Amino acid sequence: MENNNKRKLYVESFGPVSEAEIEIRQFNLFIGEQSVGKSTIAKLITIFTDYFTLWAVVAQKRKAWNKVLDSYDLKAYERENTIINYEEQCGETQINVNIGASIFETSVLKNGNPITEESEVFANIVATKPFFHPDSNEKLSAVLNKDGGIMNPSFFNLIRNSLYIPAERIVGAQLTKLLPIINMAKEQIPNNLLRFISELSNSKETYKTYDAGILNLMYKKQSEDEYVIVGENKKLPLKLASSGIQSTLPLLLVTKYGVEEREYASFVVEEPECNLFPAKQVEVLQFLINQTYAQNRMLTITTHSPYLLSALNNYLYAGVISKGMDKEKYEDLRGILSDDFWLDTKKCAIYSLGVDINKGKYCVSLLDAETGLIDYNYLDGVSLKMGEKFSQLNNLYIQNERSKRKKS
C-alpha cells in the first residue's frame, strides 16, 4: 500500500533550495518563511509521486523532464550545479531518478534486475500504485490488455496519483466558470493549476449541495450560480463571502472529491491556513488528516503557521502514548482527542526550511528521534520570538516607571 513505499528526495542548488535531503512519508510538513523553497519541494514531491509523470520522466528522460518543469513553473530554477535524486522502493520494485546538468539517469529494477522495455517499465511503475475504488483495478486491466496501456486517455485519471492544491485557491475557484476558455489557452497556465481548476469544477458538479461544517455554512450550486447559506438561512453569493471562506471551501471540496471520486493517493496542499483564524486552521488540518492520512493516502503540507505545528505535536503525542495503553485509559485518550487525528511518528516527516537555521543548514528535521515528537527547542523558539517584543516593551515600561519614581 501507499504508506509502505520508501521514498527519498535529495535536492541541491535548485531555485531557492540550497541543499535538502528528505524522507517522504505518509504525512509530510514543511514550515518556513516566504521564499525559502517550501513550494518548490512540494511540487517536486507532486511530480515524483504522480505515477504518470514518473513514468514519463523514467521513459523519456530529459524531454519529459523539461515539459514537467514547465508545467509546474520550475524550469527557471535549474542551474549548472543542480542535482536532484529520487528513490522509491515498493516491495520488489525500485525506481531511481538521478538528474544533473550533464547527467540524466533513470532505472526501474525488479528484484534487483533492470527493466528496460517501455511497456514493462510502465506496468511495473503503475503496479506500485494502490487503488482505492473497487472498479478501478478492473478498468485499468481492461485498458492495459487492449493496447498495452501507453498514453491511452481512458485510464489517464486512474493513474494520476498526486493532486497539487495551490495557495491561489481563490483565483482558481473564480476561474472554474471559464474552464472551456482556459483549456483553449492552457499553454499560458501552469498545468498543476489547470488540473486543480478542472478538479474543483468537477467537485462542484458532484457536490452541488455541501455541508461545510468547518466553516459553519452550506454551499449550494444552482446552474451557474454559487452561494453559501450562513447563520439563520442567510443566502450570500459565494463571490461576496469572506476571503477565508473563498480560500478554504475549494480546498474542502476538491479534497473530498479527490478521495471519493478519483484515485489520488497523494495530496499536496499549500498553506491550508490561508485567511483563517487559528482555531479554524486547526480544524482544517484535522479535516485533511481525516480525509487523507486516515484513509491511507499521503498528505504533504506547506505552511507558515506555528499553530499547525503545535496541533501536530498533540496528534503525534496521542499516537505515541496510545501504544500499550490499557483499554480504559485508551478510551479516555479518545475522549481527549479523536483517534481520527492520531499520527504515527514513523509515518511522519516534518522539516523546517530556511537559510539561517541550525548554524546555516537549510533543511532540518523537526522530529526528535527519541521522543517521536516535534523538537521542543523549535517550538519554544517560536514562542520566544512571539513574546520577545512584549518583553522588550515590558522592560522599557518598568525602566520608565522606576525613572519616574526616582524623579519624584
Side-chain angles (χ1 to χ4, degrees):
M1 295 299 287
E2 183 75 14
N3 61 358
N4 290 329
N5 290 25
K6 295 180 179 179
R7 298 182 172 98
K8 290 183 178 180
L9 176 65
Y10 177 81
V11 184
E12 184 177 327
S13 300
F14 185 69
V17 181
S18 56
E19 184 180 21
E21 187 171 1
I22 295 161
E23 287 191 36
I24 304 172
R25 297 181 178 174
Q26 190 179 345
F27 179 91
N28 310 282
L29 181 136
F30 301 93
I31 188 169
E33 297 181 4
Q34 292 83 358
S35 304
V36 295
K38 299 186 302 296
S39 295
T40 301
I41 289 176
K43 287 177 180 178
L44 289 174
I45 289 175
T46 309
I47 289 167
F48 288 118
T49 58
D50 188 272
Y51 288 96
F52 185 85
T53 304
L54 181 58
W55 164 76
V57 170
V58 169
Q60 300 169 12
K61 306 285 192 298
R62 182 76 67 178
K63 178 181 177 182
W65 178 246
N66 288 338
K67 288 183 178 179
V68 169
L69 291 184
D70 280 336
S71 71
Y72 283 86
D73 273 348
L74 294 175
K75 190 70 182 78
Y77 285 2
E78 277 196 309
R79 298 196 285 268
E80 290 186 1
N81 57 341
T82 291
I83 298 173
I84 298 176
N85 300 132
Y86 175 74
E87 299 176 11
E88 179 174 343
Q89 181 78 45
C90 180
E92 301 170 344
T93 302
Q94 183 177 347
I95 304 165
N96 302 290
V97 178
N98 184 19
I99 301 170
S102 59
I103 187 172
F104 203 108
E105 298 175 341
T106 66
S107 64
V108 177
L109 307 176
K110 188 71 173 285
N111 290 320
N113 299 314
I115 297 170
T116 56
E117 203 281 319
E118 188 172 328
S119 62
E120 287 189 35
V121 168
F122 178 80
N124 276 274
I125 289 177
V126 174
T128 65
K129 182 194 179 329
F131 286 92
F132 300 96
H133 301 296
D135 59 344
S136 295
N137 250 327
E138 186 177 335
K139 287 179 182 177
L140 181 61
S141 298
V143 178
L144 289 174
N145 291 335
K146 184 178 180 181
D147 63 359
I150 305 300
M151 297 299 288
N152 191 310
S154 61
F155 68 80
F156 181 77
N157 285 322
L158 288 179
I159 59 172
R160 274 300 187 189
N161 191 62
S162 191
L163 179 62
Y164 190 85
I165 304 177
E168 304 89 351
R169 293 184 286 277
I170 293 179
V171 176
Q174 293 171 344
L175 293 177
T176 53
K177 293 180 180 179
L178 302 176
L179 191 56
I181 299 173
I182 291 171
N183 276 321
M184 289 189 292
K186 61 184 179 181
E187 294 299 324
Q188 308 302 317
I189 300 174
N191 188 59
N192 64 303
L193 180 57
L194 183 63
R195 180 136 55 100
F196 168 73
I197 294 171
S198 176
E199 295 294 46
L200 179 57
S201 178
N202 291 333
S203 71
K204 289 178 177 180
E205 289 301 316
T206 302
Y207 309 116
K208 292 187 176 181
T209 298
Y210 175 64
D211 184 1
I214 292 174
L215 300 173
N216 303 315
L217 59 82
M218 181 76 71
Y219 165 79
K220 286 187 177 290
K221 185 177 188 297
Q222 292 181 337
S223 186
E224 295 302 311
D225 295 327
E226 298 178 80
Y227 58 91
V228 294
I229 299 175
V230 296
E232 297 182 0
N233 293 322
K234 181 181 178 182
K235 187 175 177 180
L236 182 70
L238 180 58
K239 65 182 179 180
L240 299 181
S242 70
S243 58
I245 290 174
Q246 292 195 55
S247 177
T248 306
L249 184 60
L251 171 59
L252 304 182
L253 284 168
V254 81
T255 302
K256 179 179 173 68
Y257 179 78
V259 170
E260 294 186 352
E261 304 295 333
R262 293 290 200 216
E263 277 295 338
Y264 291 115
S266 173
F267 293 80
V268 180
V269 182
E270 275 194 308
E271 300 173 24
E273 73 273 11
C274 279
N275 307 307
L276 290 177
F277 188 73
K280 288 299 177 185
Q281 295 180 23
V282 174
E283 288 185 47
V284 170
L285 176 62
Q286 291 177 339
F287 168 87
L288 291 171
I289 291 173
N290 181 253
Q291 287 286 304
T292 59
Y293 175 91
Q295 308 300 325
N296 210 31
R297 270 70 162 180
M298 194 169 87
L299 175 61
T300 300
I301 289 173
T302 70
T303 184
H304 303 122
S305 174
Y307 299 105
L308 295 192
L309 213 57
S310 296
L312 280 176
N313 210 40
N314 291 338
Y315 308 153
L316 288 164
Y317 195 31
V320 168
I321 65 176
S322 67
K323 302 292 190 296
M325 185 172 281
D326 63 53
K327 186 176 181 180
E328 180 181 346
K329 296 301 181 185
Y330 189 89
E331 291 303 316
D332 290 342
L333 179 59
R334 292 178 63 189
I336 296 172
L337 183 63
S338 170
D339 54 4
D340 290 337
F341 315 127
W342 299 356
L343 296 175
D344 183 344
T345 189
K346 294 179 180 178
K347 297 179 181 179
C348 297
I350 301 175
Y351 292 92
S352 177
L353 305 182
V355 294
D356 293 321
I357 60 175
N358 202 35
K359 297 182 180 179
K361 191 173 182 182
Y362 167 81
C363 179
V364 177
S365 172
L366 297 183
L367 283 178
D368 187 290
E370 293 185 8
T371 65
L373 305 179
I374 295 171
D375 189 333
Y376 279 109
N377 290 327
Y378 186 88
L379 290 176
D380 289 344
V382 170
S383 298
L384 286 171
K385 285 181 181 179
M386 293 172 70
E388 185 177 345
K389 292 297 180 184
F390 180 86
S391 296
Q392 291 175 354
L393 292 168
N394 190 52
N395 288 337
L396 184 60
Y397 170 76
I398 292 172
Q399 291 170 15
N400 186 63
E401 289 301 304
R402 288 175 178 169
S403 176
K404 283 163 55 176
R405 284 197 295 268
K406 287 181 179 179
K407 290 178 180 179
S408 62

